[in-house]
Amino acid sequence: MYTNPYSEITPELLKLSKIYEDDISIDPELYTKYDVKRGLRDLNGKGVLVGLTEISDVCSSKIVDGKSVPMEGELYYRGYNVKDLVTGISESSHFGFEECTYLLLFGKLPNQIELDEFTHLLSYYRTLPTGFVRDIIMKAPSRDMMNTLARSVLTLYSYDDAADDISIPNVLRQCLQMISLFPLLSVYGYQAYKHYHDGESLFIHQPKPEYSTAENILHILRADSKFSALEAKLLDIALILHMEHGGGNNSTFTTHLVSSSATDTYSVIAASLGSLKGPKHGGANIKVVQMFEDMKEVVKDWEDEEEVSRYLRALLNKEAFDRAGLIYGMGHAVYSLSDPRAVIFHSFVERLSAEKGKEKEFALYTLVEQLAPKIIGEERKIYKGVSPNVDFYSGFAYSMLNLPLELYTPIFAIARIAGWSAHRLEELSSNGKIMRPAYKYVGHHRDYVPILKR
């Protein structure tokens, strides 16, 4: 299967793997016996409380007559409803990612002077060390941009004279630099890979100081650097909706966990990137796009509810697409009635589909959004409602922006680094203890018998 000897699975490895598979296993019933909350979630899917935060709040239920009942999902950044933030920003002339980053980091919305000073600082930091692109990004480019991004982050440690200083001013400086540099590290890594592996032309555009984060991503990614106002606005909204989602998601929990050991910022962010890379976390929107591409080939009439419904049932019965039994983009660990990010994103995606002439594709997405919850409810036993999550529309939006699949998860990281930074600062400022969860040993104690020499 592998041509590189370094990656080869040898007969010796297969033999050792067989020993492992035959001799090492944990009885699933023991998890129930010892009340182990697998995935740090209880039987109702509610997360185990492991910390406190003032950064964001994810709301999916409310108390009525002493009982918890589902509600339309809401997301708050530092007490502000994200829907209100997006509505306010979309009606003004400026972009919102920078304003919301300020809010997450400092707990308050900036006035115009503060926002101008902050965006100027981010622009100032949006410069890589001399020779970094040539010596680091261009050397041995990876086919996975998340690995490239993590490697670049770890390498930045070597360029920082105060890399291990975890005082708040220094960590803030490091975080602001990475917030500024993530677009460059991601896009340049992609350009290098496409050049050296696929033979495409190599171009490296310098970021423009007057551009927002969203504008600069499109500027440095596209050969002609051109983009429409709606394209930049939609990408800006996507960054806002992905930048933070409470402390309980896997990568943000990783930020808290690793920060609690008092290690350096670069190690923390690299660990968080490793978490986000996982297909159960940051790669979901790629699966949504691939699922819809398969659907568009299989389903002949995209407006036929019965034909679309048959395809969705085939997905759940492991008879279509990747045969995983999932309708990607539907459902969320916390939200039940609705994911507010998907609700907010819907109208912007609809506008971009009109600009791009993709109304037919958008109508198919909308039809699946209407049909899937009912079909899932009929085919599965579920303890809460199912609705589209933010990944349902984000992949379609990115495809309309002509973003390559390889950058879908890095775009998530470009947004989420703002939330990670806020949570790292919060963990350090709270002087918390190192996190050390308990694992119960369920094996057996044995007497050691020395190996007899032949």
Side-chain angles (χ1 to χ4, degrees):
M1 179 179 178
Y2 301 107
T3 57
N4 182 355
Y6 182 80
S7 308
E8 184 182 358
I9 303 298
T10 64
E12 291 83 1
L13 281 174
L14 291 173
K15 181 179 178 180
L16 291 171
S17 298
K18 186 69 166 55
I19 294 173
Y20 180 88
E21 292 169 356
D22 290 345
D23 295 348
I24 299 179
S25 64
I26 295 177
D27 185 351
E29 292 184 1
L30 292 177
Y31 289 94
T32 302
K33 177 180 178 180
Y34 295 111
D35 191 28
V36 178
K37 295 176 173 58
R38 304 194 73 179
L40 292 181
R41 309 198 76 78
D42 62 23
L43 293 177
N44 294 318
K46 187 176 181 180
V48 176
L49 186 63
V50 296
L52 305 174
T53 184
E54 294 182 337
I55 296 170
S56 70
D57 190 16
V58 180
C59 302
S60 62
S61 62
K62 58 185 176 181
I63 303 299
V64 178
D65 296 329
K67 295 181 179 180
S68 178
V69 297
M71 59 175 275
E72 299 292 339
E74 293 182 345
L75 175 62
Y76 293 85
Y77 291 172
R78 294 287 189 178
Y80 292 95
N81 194 311
V82 169
K83 180 174 66 174
D84 296 333
L85 292 173
V86 170
T87 300
I89 292 166
S90 65
E91 294 175 352
S92 61
S93 59
H94 68 277
F95 289 85
F97 177 71
E98 290 75 15
E99 179 180 341
C100 291
T101 297
Y102 187 101
L103 170 63
L104 290 179
L105 290 174
F106 307 114
K108 71 183 190 74
L109 288 169
N111 59 36
Q112 191 60 57
I113 294 176
E114 291 169 333
L115 180 59
D116 290 344
E117 291 176 347
F118 184 65
T119 54
H120 176 76
L121 184 60
L122 292 178
S123 177
Y124 171 76
Y125 283 140
R126 199 171 283 129
T127 303
L128 286 164
T130 302
F132 193 93
V133 174
R134 179 195 64 217
D135 299 334
I136 306 303
I137 295 178
M138 295 296 174
K139 297 292 177 68
S142 170
R143 65 180 179 275
D144 191 289
M145 296 309 107
M146 290 296 285
N147 280 34
T148 296
L149 186 52
R151 184 184 67 180
S152 296
V153 167
L154 288 173
T155 306
L156 285 173
Y157 176 98
S158 303
Y159 290 80
D160 189 344
D161 292 337
D164 291 306
D165 178 358
I166 61 171
S167 65
I168 296 301
N170 192 60
V171 170
L172 178 60
R173 186 262 306 172
Q174 293 169 331
C175 289
L176 291 177
Q177 288 174 335
M178 280 193 279
I179 291 170
S180 299
L181 292 176
F182 262 37
L184 307 188
L185 298 175
S186 301
V187 176
Y188 290 171
Y190 170 75
Q191 307 288 25
Y193 173 75
K194 295 299 288 184
H195 173 67
Y196 289 108
H197 285 262
D198 295 347
E200 295 192 5
S201 297
L202 176 64
F203 54 90
I204 301 293
H205 297 317
Q206 292 298 317
K208 292 189 176 184
E210 69 272 20
Y211 276 0
S212 67
T213 300
E215 290 173 306
N216 264 313
I217 291 171
L218 296 174
H219 157 62
I220 64 177
L221 176 63
R222 296 179 174 179
D224 61 5
S225 294
K226 295 180 179 179
F227 53 87
S228 71
L230 180 56
E231 286 179 316
K233 175 58 69 175
L234 183 133
L235 183 54
D236 182 62
I237 297 300
L239 294 176
I240 293 171
L241 296 179
H242 285 86
M243 66 194 301
E244 169 58 12
H245 203 242
N249 65 81
N250 194 277
S251 58
T252 302
F253 177 64
T254 299
T255 301
H256 277 278
L257 174 68
V258 184
S259 290
S260 76
S261 74
T263 192
D264 67 277
T265 301
Y266 303 100
S267 295
V268 170
I269 300 304
S272 301
L273 285 166
S275 164
L276 188 67
K277 178 190 174 185
K280 292 183 179 181
H281 189 4
N285 55 14
I286 296 176
K287 280 289 191 179
V288 175
V289 170
Q290 294 171 336
M291 178 187 73
F292 269 94
E293 288 303 312
D294 183 74
M295 189 186 309
K296 287 187 287 187
E297 290 184 6
V298 174
V299 175
K300 303 305 179 185
D301 185 353
W302 297 357
E303 298 178 354
D304 188 333
E305 290 190 13
E306 290 188 8
E307 189 176 5
V308 173
S309 294
R310 283 197 298 271
Y311 180 86
L312 296 178
R313 292 186 191 277
L315 284 173
L316 292 176
N317 293 320
K318 300 183 179 182
E319 298 169 351
F321 184 42
D322 61 359
R323 290 171 169 74
L326 299 171
I327 299 178
Y328 292 100
M330 299 302 300
H332 189 270
V334 179
Y335 299 121
S336 55
L337 299 185
S338 65
D339 181 338
R341 301 168 300 173
V343 174
I344 294 169
F345 212 26
H346 184 278
S347 61
F348 290 96
V349 174
E350 183 177 17
R351 286 168 54 193
L352 187 63
S353 69
E355 181 178 284
K356 297 290 186 179
K358 299 282 187 179
E359 294 95 337
K360 188 176 180 181
E361 286 87 344
F362 179 77
L364 177 60
Y365 273 79
T366 302
L367 182 58
V368 171
E369 177 183 357
Q370 296 168 354
L371 295 175
K374 178 183 177 182
I375 292 172
I376 293 173
E378 293 172 351
E379 299 285 337
R380 295 282 191 271
K381 291 182 179 180
I382 53 177
Y383 63 85
K384 65 183 182 70
V386 176
S387 60
N389 57 48
V390 68
D391 295 315
F392 185 80
Y393 280 110
S394 64
F396 179 44
Y398 295 163
S399 68
M400 288 192 291
L401 292 173
N402 293 320
L403 300 180
L405 279 175
E406 293 90 341
L407 284 179
Y408 281 20
T409 311
I411 292 293
F412 197 160
I414 290 169
R416 190 55 64 87
I417 179 62
W420 293 339
S421 297
H423 281 277
R424 171 158 171 75
L425 290 164
E426 187 175 63
E427 181 66 33
L428 292 175
S429 63
S430 67
N431 295 314
K433 294 182 178 181
I434 183 172
M435 294 184 189
R436 192 183 183 281
Y439 272 73
K440 182 175 181 59
Y441 179 71
V442 293
H444 303 285
H445 293 178
R446 295 177 284 187
D447 294 327
Y448 173 71
V449 179
I451 298 174
L452 295 177
K453 292 184 179 181
R454 295 180 179 178

